[in-house]
Amino acid sequence: METRIFLNHGEKDTQNVKQVKNLYKALKANDKEAVARILADDPVWNVSPGFPYGGVYNGMAEVFGSFYSKLRSQFNSFGAMPETFIDGGDVVTVLGFYTFDSNQDNSTQFVRFSHTWKINGDGRIKGVWQVADTAQFKRA
């Protein structure tokens, strides 16, 4: 949408960037086996306060059994559209947009996000620190 125009970032597909891209693809496809291979055994999701169900989630059961199941129940559809990947070594920052359809009026909304993914020593993703435009969710 607009992050590529604003940043004009010379993105490199390093191994860590590829791993993060693979995670977005696996999450979108709901490929649980791929997600389990990509994530560390005890991932941590640090979700912005003000975001629906914001807080810190530890481990697969909390991330997928608590956070995502509640989040998906709130919307007709919900997904992430990553646009820009910035390699910082053992962290990869992704700028993009969430897209969701409101349960209330079926309108499609776009909300900015920034995800900073931590990559551990064996190349698996340890977790994410998420920031999003939470005001957009309050209007939905």
Side-chain angles (χ1 to χ4, degrees):
M1 290 180 90
E2 66 187 58
T3 61
R4 290 190 186 276
I5 294 167
F6 173 72
L7 289 174
N8 195 17
H9 175 65
E11 185 176 299
K12 293 181 178 71
D13 256 356
T14 63
Q15 188 59 38
N16 288 343
V17 167
K18 288 178 187 175
Q19 187 75 319
V20 171
K21 285 181 176 182
N22 287 336
L23 179 60
Y24 282 105
K25 289 177 192 172
L27 288 168
K28 183 176 182 174
N30 199 26
D31 184 342
K32 294 175 185 168
E33 290 177 12
V35 169
R37 283 192 309 272
I38 294 167
L39 291 178
D41 294 333
D42 57 346
V44 176
W45 255 230
N46 189 325
V47 180
S48 293
F51 191 83
Y53 311 105
V56 178
Y57 297 87
N58 295 288
M60 297 284 207
E62 284 188 15
V63 169
F64 295 101
S66 242
F67 174 65
Y68 277 115
S69 63
K70 290 178 189 174
L71 187 64
R72 288 187 177 126
S73 72
Q74 186 171 339
F75 304 104
N76 290 330
S77 67
F78 183 88
M81 297 173 16
E83 287 196 333
T84 302
F85 294 78
I86 304 165
D87 187 353
D90 64 349
V91 296
V92 173
T93 297
V94 179
L95 305 176
F97 292 85
Y98 292 119
T99 179
F100 64 93
D101 293 329
S102 170
N103 280 343
Q104 295 173 1
D105 62 6
N106 278 340
S107 65
T108 300
Q109 303 284 331
F110 294 92
V111 175
R112 286 184 184 187
F113 73 70
S114 173
H115 293 158
T116 299
W117 299 95
K118 174 72 173 164
I119 314 295
N120 68 16
D122 65 0
R124 294 172 76 195
I125 296 174
K126 176 70 180 152
V128 66
W129 189 75
Q130 178 259 27
V131 176
D133 181 2
T134 58
Q136 292 293 324
F137 284 101
K138 291 179 180 161
R139 287 186 274 235

